[in-house]
C-alpha cells in the first residue's frame, strides 16, 4: 500500500538536509514601535529585535489614519464582505479603490484580487487559456506567481535571460509575426533588486506587436512622482498593457490588483476563475488601502526619507566593508553563499544582536545565490542602520573558530 506519510517525511527531511527547510519566526508586530517587534526565543524568554526584512516599506501598516479607517469602516460594514464580487461582495469601497488604482496607473480600469499572487496567476492563466496560440515570453527571474500562472495553461513559453533585451528581441524575432505573444516581466525584481529596462521592452513590444505584462509589486508606492511605480518614473504607463500591483507591501494593507484598458479588465473580470470564484476583500480593507494610497500620493517627503534611508544603509555597509550587490533599487542583497551558512549567520544576528534578517535560499533564489535580503523602511533610524552594519561586520568577518584555536 502506498505510504503517504513516509513520502511527506522523506521530502521534508531532504529540505532539512540541504538547509532549505523553512522555519517561521513569530514576528509579533508593534504598531507603536515598528520596526521593533517581539518574539519568544528557544528558552521561552520574550525578546525584542529589529525587523530588517519587512516589505512594509513606508510603515503604512502602522499609520494612524490608515488604522483608524480600517476600524471605522469595520464598525460600519462588518469584518468580511460575505460574498464573491458577483454575489453580494461588491461595495462602494471596492469600486472606489478600483477607480483610485486605475487613475494612479493612468489606466482605464483596475480589478481587485485577494493578493498580487492571485492576480498574477489568474490574469496570465486567463490570457493563456483564451487567446489561441498565445506565446509567453518571460524573464528568467520572474516571481513564482508568474511562473505558476504560465504553468496553469498549456501555451508555449520562451524564457529570456534576466533583463537581456538582446535575447528578448531574438526570441521575439523567431516567433511568427501573426502569432499572439505577451512579454511578462517585473519592474523591480524582488530577489535581486534589479530594475527592468522598461522603455526598451515597451519599444520591442510595439515593434513585434506583443502585449506587455509587468509585475510592479515592489515598485508601487515607492517610485515615480506620485509613487505609482517604475512605469510612472520612466513615463511608460501608456506603453505597457497590464500592470500588476499589491496592496500588501508599500501600501501596508492587504490585497492585489491589475490595471489595464477597460476591455482587458472586463475580460479578466468575466473569464478569470481566480477572480470570480472567491470571496472579495473585506470592505474595510479596501477603504484602508484607499486611504493609504491617498496619503502616499500626497506625501513625497515619506518616499524621499525612504530613499535617503536606502542611501544611508548602503554607505554604512560600505564603511563597514560589507559586500552587497550593486543595483538601482531599494532592495539590498548581501551574498552569503551556502544555505546552511546563510541560516547560521541569520540565527547569530537574531540571537546575539537582535537583528531579524530572513536567509534567502533555493528555490527562492538559485543554489549558490543564497543571501541576506536587507529591506530598510522609512521607519528605520540611523541608530538601527549603524547597529546593523556593526553587527554584520562582527558576524560576517568573524574569524572561523579553527583559527582562534590555533592561536591559543
Ligand atoms: C514580485 C512579486 N510578485 C507578486 C508577489 C505576491 O504578492 P502578494 O503578497 O500581494 O500576493 C510577491 C510577493 O509577495 C512578489 O515579490
Amino acid at each position: 500500500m502506498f505510504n503517504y506519510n513516509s513520502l511527506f517525511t522523506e521530502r521534508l527531511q531532504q529540505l532539512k538536509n540541504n538547509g532549505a527547510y523553512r522555519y517561521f519566526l513569530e514576528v509579533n508586530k508593534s504598531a507603536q514601535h515598528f520596526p521593533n517587534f517581539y518574539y519568544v526565543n528557544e528558552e521561552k524568554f520574550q525578546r525584542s529585535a529589529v525587523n530588517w526584512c519587512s516589505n512594509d516599506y513606508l510603515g503604512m501598516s502602522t499609520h494612524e489614519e490608515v488604522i483608524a479607517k480600517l476600524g471605522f469602516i469595520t464598525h460600519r460594514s462588518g469584518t468580511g464582505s460575505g460574498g464573491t464580487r458577483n454575489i453580494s461582495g461588491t461595495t462602494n469601497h471596492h469600486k472606489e479603490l478600483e477607480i483610485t488604482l486605475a487613475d494612479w496607473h493612468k489606466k482605464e480600469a483596475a480589478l481587485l484580487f485577494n493578493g498580487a499572487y492571485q492576480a498574477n496567476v489568474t490574469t496570465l492563466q486567463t490570457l493563456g487559456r483564451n487567446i489561441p496560440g498565445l506565446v509567453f515570453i518571460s524573464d528568467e527571474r520572474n516571481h513564482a506567481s508568474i511562473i505558476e500562472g504560465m504553468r496553469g495553461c498549456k501555451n508555449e513559453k520562451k524564457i529570456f535571460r534576466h533583463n537581456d533585451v538582446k535575447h528578448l528581441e531574438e526570441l521575439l524575432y523567431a516567433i511568427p509575426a501573426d502569432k499572439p505573444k505577451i512579454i511578462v516581466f517585473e519592474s523591480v525584481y524582488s530577489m535581486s533588486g534589479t530594475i527592468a529596462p522598461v522603455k526598451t521592452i515597451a519599444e520591442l513590444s510595439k515593434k513585434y506587436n506583443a502585449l506587455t505584462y509587468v509585475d510592479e509589486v515592489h515598485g508601487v508606492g515607492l517610485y515615480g512622482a506620485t509613487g505609482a511605480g517604475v512605469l510612472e518614473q520612466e513615463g511608460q504607463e501608456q506603453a505597457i498593457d497590464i500592470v500588476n500591483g499589491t496592496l500588501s507591501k508599500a501600501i501596508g494593507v492587504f490585497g492585489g490588483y491589475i490595471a489595464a484598458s477597460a476591455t482587458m479588465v472586463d475580460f479578466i473580470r468575466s473569464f478569470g476563475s481566480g477572480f470570480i470564484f472567491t470571496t472579495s476583500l473585506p470592505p474595510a480593507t479596501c477603504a484602508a488601502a484607499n486611504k493609504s494610497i491617498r496619503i502616499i500620493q500626497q506625501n513625497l517627503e515619506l518616499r524621499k526619507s525612504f530613499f535617503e534611508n536606502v542611501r544611508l544603509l548602503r554607505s554604512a555597509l560600505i564603511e563597514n566593508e560589507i559586500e552587497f550587490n550593486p543595483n538601482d533599487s531599494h532592495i539590498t542583497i548581501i551574498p552569503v553563499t551556502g544555505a546552511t551558512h546563510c541560516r547560521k549567520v541569520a540565527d547569530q544576528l537574531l540571537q546575539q544582536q537582535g537583528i531579524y534578517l530572513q536567509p534567502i535560499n533555493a528555490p527562492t533564489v538559485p543554489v549558490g545565490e543564497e543571501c541576506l535580503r536587507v529591506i530598510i523602511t522609512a521607519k528605520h533610524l540611523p541608530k538601527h542602520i549603524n547597529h546593523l552594519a556593526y553587527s554584520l561586520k562582527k558576524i560576517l568577518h568573524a574569524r572561523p573558530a579553527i583559527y582562534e584555536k590555533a592561536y591559543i
Side-chain angles (χ1 to χ4, degrees):
M1 276 220 297
F2 192 84
N3 190 334
Y4 299 98
N5 208 46
S6 72
L7 179 135
F8 300 143
T9 317
E10 208 176 288
R11 293 293 302 277
L12 287 168
Q13 194 54 48
Q14 278 169 9
L15 282 184
K16 287 178 188 166
N17 292 349
N18 62 28
Y21 185 75
R22 291 181 161 95
Y23 296 90
F24 294 163
L25 179 70
E26 211 175 272
V27 179
N28 299 315
K29 281 182 77 179
S30 159
Q32 286 69 37
H33 302 116
F34 182 77
N36 292 288
F37 68 95
Y38 304 93
Y39 72 101
V40 178
N41 71 7
E42 279 171 11
E43 288 83 43
K44 305 272 179 276
F45 290 118
Q46 177 158 297
R47 290 272 178 266
S48 133
V50 178
N51 193 343
W52 280 99
C53 48
S54 168
N55 291 320
D56 188 5
Y57 294 124
L58 301 173
M60 295 306 288
S61 82
T62 65
H63 195 291
E64 283 300 334
E65 288 178 52
V66 177
I67 296 171
K69 191 61 145 187
L70 189 81
F72 181 67
I73 303 298
T74 302
H75 276 282
R76 273 202 354 200
S77 306
T79 49
S81 78
T84 63
R85 286 295 293 273
N86 191 37
I87 307 176
S88 93
T90 296
T91 68
N92 56 327
H93 301 293
H94 295 83
K95 286 188 159 176
E96 279 167 20
L97 179 55
E98 284 175 341
I99 290 170
T100 298
L101 290 166
D103 289 347
W104 204 20
H105 291 289
K106 299 201 175 63
K107 294 288 180 202
E108 290 171 354
L111 194 65
L112 290 170
F113 288 83
N114 294 348
Y117 187 106
Q118 204 168 339
N120 274 337
V121 171
T122 303
T123 308
L124 293 170
Q125 250 179 31
T126 308
L127 292 175
R129 287 176 187 173
N130 290 281
I131 304 178
L134 179 72
V135 181
F136 287 110
I137 310 159
S138 170
D139 188 289
E140 67 179 345
R141 289 277 169 140
N142 273 337
H143 187 255
S145 54
I146 295 177
I147 296 166
E148 202 59 34
M150 296 186 300
R151 265 197 203 137
C153 40
K154 305 212 166 13
N155 303 60
E156 197 182 335
K157 296 163 202 76
K158 300 207 175 281
I159 312 296
F160 61 98
R161 287 188 293 274
H162 179 51
N163 275 352
D164 185 339
V165 283
K166 199 165 163 282
H167 190 209
L168 170 62
E169 177 150 24
E170 279 164 24
L171 296 179
L172 283 164
Y173 182 77
I175 300 169
D178 58 349
K179 248 191 169 248
K181 38 197 149 336
I182 182 165
I183 306 170
V184 188
F185 64 108
E186 295 178 27
S187 61
V188 180
Y189 284 83
S190 56
M191 290 302 152
S192 60
T194 41
I195 295 190
V198 179
K199 191 161 181 286
T200 316
I201 293 179
E203 283 163 4
L204 286 175
S205 76
K206 300 292 166 281
K207 186 169 167 188
Y208 292 92
N209 190 29
L211 284 172
T212 38
Y213 183 97
V214 66
D215 175 321
E216 273 260 47
V217 160
H218 293 277
V220 284
L222 303 178
Y223 296 82
T226 69
V230 174
L231 297 191
E232 182 182 49
Q233 180 176 276
E234 304 292 312
Q236 295 299 308
E237 294 108 317
Q238 310 298 336
I240 299 292
D241 295 298
I242 308 170
V243 183
N244 163 291
T246 185
L247 305 169
S248 312
K249 299 188 194 293
I251 294 164
V253 187
F254 186 73
Y257 63 90
I258 57 160
S261 70
T263 312
M264 176 68 81
V265 166
D266 200 19
F267 186 75
I268 304 299
R269 189 187 73 88
S270 306
F271 291 97
S273 173
F275 170 80
I276 300 169
F277 298 104
T278 188
T279 302
S280 64
L281 288 171
T285 302
C286 298
N290 209 356
K291 182 78 194 170
S292 175
I293 294 169
R294 296 278 179 230
I295 296 168
I296 291 170
Q297 286 173 331
Q298 288 152 18
N299 198 338
L300 182 60
E301 285 312 308
L302 188 62
R303 279 175 278 126
K304 273 193 181 159
S305 72
F306 171 72
F307 282 104
E308 176 56 13
N309 263 358
V310 175
R311 198 190 60 74
L312 287 176
L313 167 70
R314 293 183 178 189
S315 312
L317 294 180
I318 290 168
E319 243 168 64
N320 285 276
E321 295 169 355
I322 309 295
E323 276 178 37
F324 59 91
N325 297 345
N327 64 44
D328 295 326
S329 79
H330 58 281
I331 296 171
T332 305
I333 303 294
I334 299 177
V336 182
T337 319
T340 311
H341 177 50
C342 192
R343 164 150 298 286
K344 195 172 158 217
V345 169
D347 286 347
Q348 286 175 333
L349 283 166
L350 183 65
Q351 286 154 18
Q352 297 169 17
Q353 305 294 327
I355 282 171
Y356 173 45
L357 264 174
Q358 186 65 29
I360 310 288
N361 295 329
T364 311
V365 291
V367 173
E369 292 188 24
E370 296 80 10
C371 62
L372 296 173
R373 177 175 173 271
V374 186
I375 299 293
I376 193 152
T377 72
K379 299 279 177 176
H380 285 84
L381 301 172
K383 68 174 181 185
H384 296 130
I385 296 173
N386 292 337
H387 182 235
L388 174 76
Y390 160 82
S391 306
L392 281 167
K393 183 176 183 171
K394 191 168 169 197
I395 289 170
L396 287 174
H397 295 183
R399 299 170 74 83
I402 184 167
Y403 294 128
E404 301 296 344
K405 273 197 189 133
Y407 270 92
I408 296 169

